[in-house]
Amino acid sequence: MPKIEEIATYAQENAAKLGIKKFDIYGSTVDDTSVQVDQGEPKQVKASNRSGVTVRVWNEENTMGVTSTTDVDAKGLELALKTAYEASFFGVKENVPDFSPEATIPISNPHKEKALQAPVSELIEKLLVAEKELLATHPAITSVPYNGLAQRDIDRFYLNSDGAVRTESHSLASVYLYSKTEEEGKKPRSGGAYRVKESVAELDIAGCIKETAEKTISHLHYKKIKTGKYQVVFSPEAFLSLIGAFSNLFNAQSILDNQSLSKTDDIGKELASPLLSVYDDALHPANIGAESFDGEGTPTRQIKLIEKGILTSFLHSAGTAKRLNAQPTGNASIGAKVSVSPNFYHVFAAGTPEKELSLETAENVILIDDLQALHAGVKALQGSFSLPFDGWLINKGEKTSIESATVAGDFLELLKSIVYVEKEVELTPGGVAPRVWVSELSITGD
């Protein structure tokens, strides 16, 4: 991809030639390498270099057209600008997207250097060693059916005809291991773990192996569980899975489209237990792939969604912010329609609990490690869920794996039923969170 300065020059020259006065361009390049292994042999090697830009043009009547292209030389941009201009006469007449008022605000984030990419041979070797070590941890672990070691370089930019120019680069690497057991007369059991860092060299692969083995082995001696109401503890990943499944609660675009559990006037209402705070924090130190601006050029920032149980903010694009008399939050993606999505959740304890709770002393509680079938078991517009899960019945620190069970409930009721939020947080693919205790949920066993 040409340098951002060259693209800006191409865009300005071609826009002037075509008589286009108002436009913006968002683009990215992703250089990706990933490997998988199977029983001591390389299974799959993928390498890709993907680039593309989205061009938006406004005409004299202030309607807008959009086009996308992977061709960002002078000729490609000229064609994209021309196509978007022609499309603009068929654009929507109401709530037409506009530039973000914050697209030209300077960003103080320090420049990040991209990490040196490791050769594919090194990725395969590291993953083969990880698979071998994981298989050696216990005789019952017979395979690692899902695994992956990946590295990625990302370059992004945004520019517009008002003089906004933003660009950034970063690298990230990740490893994922998921092992499976085979024992005569017993059901297969499994467990997984994930790690992410800026480079392959910094990845804690040993920690990922250890966590995967411990989880898998802890499921070997499983038992059935009686159907009933239980106090439930969600692992950080499980709780963030639920937050993500019901993210329409905070999404201003969903609210305006009547596709949300929230209403426009819900800010300031008590949504959850006062023990819970939830932020969207793109620039959190633990967010390895932190992005300093969104698809509209708006700087990303910390957004307080729930503060001590009170719904405090929504996530906005420039358009939703204008319609709801708010500020853009740096959560927009541009395309045929501007969409809004979370960046990186930060869940943490707030307020003072009635008493400290611990898995070492708790009796008959369910620890849910991993929620499954979220695509099928969540009714996002009704607020209800019914999901199979992996987890344990815990009695005074003793963990007994649950053979198979389903947890069901209403998400808004769950938020208000939180009785304890632990202080220690963990990094997951969706953000950072602690374990969260809920007073009672319905568990259906076999």
Side-chain angles (χ1 to χ4, degrees):
M1 181 179 273
K3 290 181 178 177
I4 177 69
E5 294 82 7
E6 293 175 2
I7 294 173
T9 303
Y10 297 158
Q12 295 286 5
E13 289 172 354
N14 285 303
K17 189 163 72 173
L18 295 164
I20 293 169
K21 293 183 172 59
K22 185 175 179 179
F23 67 88
D24 69 0
I25 302 175
Y26 171 82
S28 66
T29 299
V30 180
D31 192 358
D32 208 344
T33 310
S34 64
V35 301
Q36 293 177 24
V37 300
D38 183 30
Q39 299 291 349
E41 296 290 336
K43 179 185 178 183
Q44 188 168 268
V45 177
K46 284 184 184 176
S48 64
N49 187 288
R50 307 183 301 279
S51 62
V53 298
T54 300
V55 179
R56 301 192 298 181
V57 171
W58 287 259
N59 62 30
E60 298 76 11
E61 297 166 14
N62 201 39
T63 55
M64 186 199 76
V66 186
T67 191
S68 296
T69 181
T70 57
D71 190 0
V72 287
D73 60 12
K75 204 73 185 161
L77 277 176
E78 181 183 2
L79 182 59
L81 285 162
K82 188 178 178 185
T83 306
Y85 179 71
E86 290 169 354
S88 69
F89 293 95
F90 303 93
V92 295
K93 300 285 194 290
E94 294 181 2
N95 301 313
V96 180
D98 203 348
F99 291 164
S100 166
E102 299 187 9
T104 52
I105 292 175
I107 297 175
S108 60
N109 291 336
H111 177 71
K112 282 187 178 178
E113 292 292 334
K114 286 190 284 190
L116 192 66
Q117 289 226 350
V120 171
S121 58
E122 185 182 327
L123 300 185
I124 293 171
E125 185 183 342
K126 283 181 181 290
L127 195 54
L128 285 171
V129 169
E131 182 194 43
K132 185 179 178 182
E133 289 182 9
L134 184 50
L135 290 171
T137 56
H138 196 282
I141 298 177
T142 57
S143 65
V144 188
Y146 305 109
N147 60 72
L149 182 54
Q151 59 186 357
R152 177 177 295 174
D153 282 349
I154 302 168
D155 297 282
R156 306 169 61 242
F157 73 87
Y158 172 85
L159 59 89
N160 69 27
S161 51
D162 275 0
V165 179
R166 302 210 188 279
T167 180
E168 71 178 356
S169 304
H170 61 263
S171 301
L172 56 89
S174 61
V175 60
Y176 176 64
L177 299 169
Y178 186 89
S179 59
K180 188 177 175 185
T181 68
E182 293 286 348
E183 286 187 302
E184 195 173 336
K186 288 192 170 186
K187 293 181 179 179
R189 309 299 281 167
S190 53
Y194 166 89
R195 294 289 186 275
V196 61
K197 272 289 180 186
E198 281 88 355
S199 68
V200 171
E202 296 173 284
L203 277 176
D204 179 17
I205 298 176
C208 192
I209 295 167
K210 185 171 183 284
E211 185 182 339
T212 304
E214 286 176 353
K215 278 187 182 178
T216 308
I217 293 164
S218 72
H219 285 303
L220 287 175
H221 304 294
Y222 57 82
K223 290 182 180 177
K224 293 183 187 293
I225 190 172
K226 289 181 180 177
T227 297
K229 299 272 190 180
Y230 291 83
Q231 188 171 60
V232 170
V233 183
F234 287 95
S235 73
E237 188 163 353
F239 189 71
L240 285 178
S241 293
L242 274 183
I243 291 275
F246 292 99
S247 62
N248 65 41
L249 269 170
F250 316 114
N251 189 315
Q253 187 62 60
S254 298
I255 292 162
L256 288 167
D257 292 341
N258 292 317
Q259 296 293 308
S260 173
L261 293 171
S262 297
K263 299 283 185 286
T264 53
D265 58 354
D266 280 352
I267 296 293
K269 287 188 177 179
E270 186 182 336
L271 182 69
S273 158
L275 302 174
L276 181 76
S277 286
V278 179
Y279 291 2
D280 180 61
D281 192 356
L283 303 178
H284 190 284
N287 186 9
I288 304 300
E291 296 180 345
S292 60
F293 59 91
D294 70 1
E296 296 182 312
T298 304
T300 56
R301 66 204 76 179
Q302 181 190 87
I303 304 297
K304 299 176 180 179
L305 300 173
I306 300 174
E307 184 76 275
K308 295 183 179 178
I310 305 297
L311 181 62
T312 312
S313 300
F314 296 137
L315 300 177
H316 285 285
S317 64
T320 63
K322 185 177 180 181
R323 291 171 68 183
L324 294 178
N325 195 26
Q327 289 294 313
T329 58
N331 293 86
S333 301
I334 65 171
K337 182 179 179 181
V338 177
S339 59
V340 177
S341 57
N343 288 316
F344 187 84
Y345 286 118
H346 178 200
V347 177
F348 59 97
T352 307
E354 286 184 21
K355 61 177 180 177
E356 302 271 331
L357 299 174
S358 168
L359 292 176
E360 295 302 316
T361 55
E363 297 182 23
N364 223 36
V365 302
I366 302 283
L367 172 56
I368 293 179
D369 182 49
D370 180 45
L371 292 167
Q372 296 153 7
L374 285 142
H375 63 287
V378 166
K379 294 183 178 176
L381 296 182
Q382 295 175 21
S384 62
F385 61 91
S386 179
L387 300 166
F389 66 89
D390 285 338
W392 303 270
L393 179 65
I394 298 191
N395 201 18
K396 295 181 180 177
E398 187 179 327
K399 294 167 77 172
T400 305
S401 179
I402 297 166
E403 182 175 345
S404 63
T406 301
V407 59
D410 178 272
F411 186 64
L412 294 177
E413 288 177 13
L414 180 153
L415 289 177
K416 290 190 174 177
S417 302
I418 292 170
V419 291
Y420 187 59
V421 179
E422 295 188 9
K423 290 183 173 51
E424 189 176 333
V425 298
E426 291 178 23
L427 175 63
T428 80
V432 290
R435 286 194 291 231
V436 176
W437 296 59
V438 176
S439 61
E440 197 176 69
L441 282 173
S442 294
I443 304 290
T444 304
D446 275 353

